[in-house]
């Protein structure tokens, strides 16, 4: 659950239309109740009704007794009276200096960031129906747009990360073939995990949106170590098969231990009470396991394939 603030420009309290404006606020609140995902709202009219008390109930405080005595007075007079005795209570919903009134909109949870954005648009549309300058505010709106931005940018960041990795590996190995080869065992688990999330209907959030670029940056390290060792063995005079075996027997063990250490670190995130953090830790763990398997089992097979179709890229 969360909430937004719907800000409405108000006339001066002494203006003739102020009493009608209070009724307009009530009408806005009535329409807000029909928006999917809105569980309620509160503003100045609710505050006035609450302090007037329920029929048959004796006023308990001085403010309640004063408000009960002004029960038939115009809303303007009631609000001025309440402001005099409870200024802190009123200021949360009405800023007299700036002539704005706030409607606090309580919302329930909705699945998916787009559904929340649609709800926000509906709330603003109702407000602007009565006041062209109506606008929404609140920390939850900032979070929604942050998540939306991260979701739209995730493939851009992933693409930039991949491009940067290819450039650096090409310079390091002096081989575009090896650079592209290193991407396959590391990008495949990421694409499989994200594809599975979509197939299962799991929504991306602020944490899981970073999955692709973070996992790619971590997993590609193991390919670099493996390929570097493999190239070193080739240059030292070993044949292709011996170089593969030597790389497996040396760097392979180090890759396993380093990967398990990373997995243990990310698994700690699954102990969090914050669901996006739990999901991020779990998904990165799955991707790292997939990358480990691919680097130890698929990468050697890819090297054999590259040896056949593009032997010069191996430096042979």
């Amino acid at each position: 659950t969360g909430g937004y603030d719907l800000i409405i420009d108000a006339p001066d309290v002494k203006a003739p239309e102020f009493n009608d404006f209070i009724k307009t606020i009530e009408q806005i609140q009535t329409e807000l109740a029909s928006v999917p995902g809105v569980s309620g709202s509160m503003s100045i009219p609710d505050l006035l009704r609450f302090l007037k008390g329920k029929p048959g109930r004796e006023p308990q405080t001085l403010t309640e007794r004063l408000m009960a005595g002004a029960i038939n007075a115009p809303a303007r007079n009631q609000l001025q009276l309440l402001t005099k005795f409870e200024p802190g209570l009123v200021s949360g919903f009405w800023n007299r200096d700036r002539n704005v009134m706030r409607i606090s909109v309580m919302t329930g949870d909705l699945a998916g960031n787009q559904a929340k954005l649609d709800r926000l648009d509906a709330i603003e549309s109702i407000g602007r129906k009565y006041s062209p300058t109506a606008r929404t505010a609140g920390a939850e709106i900032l979070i929604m747009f942050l998540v939306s931005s991260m979701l739209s940018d995730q493939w851009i960041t992933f693409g930039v990360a991949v491009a940067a990795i290819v450039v650096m590996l090409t310079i390091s190995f002096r081989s575009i073939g090896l650079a592209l080869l290193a991407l396959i065992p590391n990008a495949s688990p990421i694409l499989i995990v994200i594809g599975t999330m979509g197939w299962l209907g799991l929504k991306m959030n602020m944490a899981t949106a970073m999955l692709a670029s973070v996992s790619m940056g971590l997993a590609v390290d193991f390919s670099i170590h493996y390929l570097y060792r493999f190239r070193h063995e080739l240059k030292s005079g070993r044949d292709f098969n011996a170089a593969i075996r030597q790389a497996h027997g040396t760097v392979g063990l180090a890759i396993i231990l380093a990967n398990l250490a990373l997995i243990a670190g990310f698994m700690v995130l699954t102990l969090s009470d914050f669901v996006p953090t739990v999901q991020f830790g779990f998904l990165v763990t799955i991707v790292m396991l997939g990358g480990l398997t691919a680097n130890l089992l698929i990468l050697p097979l890819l090297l054999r394939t590259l040896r056949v179709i593009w032997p010069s890229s191996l430096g042979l």
Side-chain angles (χ1 to χ4, degrees), residues 45-98:
D46 301 290
L47 193 59
L48 294 176
R49 281 194 296 270
F50 174 76
L51 290 174
K52 289 175 187 175
K54 296 181 179 180
R57 173 180 172 272
E58 288 295 325
Q60 302 297 315
T61 65
L62 174 61
T63 302
E64 289 182 352
R65 287 195 290 270
L66 290 171
M67 293 299 295
I71 193 169
N72 295 319
R76 175 197 299 110
N77 302 85
Q78 294 176 0
L79 190 54
Q80 288 176 319
L81 180 64
L82 184 59
T83 302
K84 182 178 180 180
F85 290 95
E86 297 286 351
L89 196 60
V90 174
S91 62
F93 295 100
W94 179 45
N95 188 321
R96 183 173 181 178
D97 295 332
R98 298 177 58 187

Side-chain angles (χ1 to χ4, degrees), residues 25-300:
I25 294 295
E26 292 179 312
Q27 181 62 34
I28 292 174
Q29 289 184 255
T30 300
E31 294 193 25
L32 287 174
S34 64
V35 176
V38 172
S39 56
S41 63
M42 181 172 288
S43 189
I44 285 295
D46 301 290
L47 193 59
L48 294 176
R49 281 194 296 270
F50 174 76
L51 290 174
K52 289 175 187 175
K54 296 181 179 180
R57 173 180 172 272
E58 288 295 325
Q60 302 297 315
T61 65
L62 174 61
T63 302
E64 289 182 352
R65 287 195 290 270
L66 290 171
M67 293 299 295
I71 193 169
N72 295 319
R76 175 197 299 110
N77 302 85
Q78 294 176 0
L79 190 54
Q80 288 176 319
L81 180 64
L82 184 59
T83 302
K84 182 178 180 180
F85 290 95
E86 297 286 351
L89 196 60
V90 174
S91 62
F93 295 100
W94 179 45
N95 188 321
R96 183 173 181 178
D97 295 332
R98 298 177 58 187
N99 284 330
V100 293
M101 196 163 286
R102 179 176 72 93
I103 301 176
S104 178
V105 184
M106 285 77 79
T107 58
D109 194 22
L110 287 178
N113 200 61
Q114 186 58 49
K116 295 178 182 178
L117 291 172
D118 292 340
R119 177 177 60 191
L120 180 63
D121 288 339
I123 292 172
E124 285 190 342
S125 297
I126 291 174
R128 288 173 182 168
K129 176 181 174 182
Y130 295 92
S131 174
T133 57
R135 61 269 186 200
T136 52
E140 188 171 338
I141 297 175
L142 178 63
I143 294 174
M144 277 196 308
F145 281 104
L146 177 62
V147 171
S148 180
S149 176
M150 292 185 70
L151 292 177
S152 62
D153 292 345
Q154 65 171 324
W155 292 114
I156 297 176
T157 57
F158 181 65
V160 171
V162 168
I165 289 170
V166 169
V167 171
M168 288 187 289
L169 291 185
T170 300
I171 295 173
S172 177
F173 292 124
R174 291 178 173 80
S175 169
I176 184 66
L178 283 179
L180 295 174
L181 191 75
L183 296 179
I184 298 175
N186 300 297
S188 298
I190 296 172
L191 297 176
I192 290 172
V193 168
I194 293 178
T196 303
M197 288 178 62
W199 181 59
L200 295 176
L202 300 177
K203 301 295 184 180
M204 298 292 286
N205 54 45
M206 188 165 55
T208 55
M210 300 184 293
L211 175 67
S213 54
V214 171
S215 299
M216 190 67 187
L218 291 172
V220 77
D221 292 347
F222 305 124
S223 295
I224 294 173
H225 291 306
Y226 191 97
L227 292 174
Y228 183 85
R229 183 69 185 193
F230 170 73
R231 286 281 296 268
H232 176 76
E233 296 298 331
L234 284 180
K235 291 179 180 179
S236 67
R238 296 182 187 274
D239 62 27
F240 184 88
N241 292 329
I244 290 287
R245 286 194 297 270
Q246 189 65 17
H248 249 66
T250 54
V251 176
L253 179 60
I255 288 175
I256 292 174
L257 295 177
N259 207 298
L260 291 178
L262 282 172
I263 288 172
F266 279 105
M267 282 296 290
V268 173
L269 298 179
T270 61
L271 303 177
S272 172
D273 293 328
F274 187 50
V275 174
T277 301
V278 174
Q279 294 174 341
F280 179 72
F282 177 75
L283 292 174
V284 171
T285 297
I286 297 299
V287 171
M288 296 301 292
L289 284 172
L292 173 63
T293 304
N295 277 305
L296 294 181
L297 299 181
I298 298 177
L299 185 57

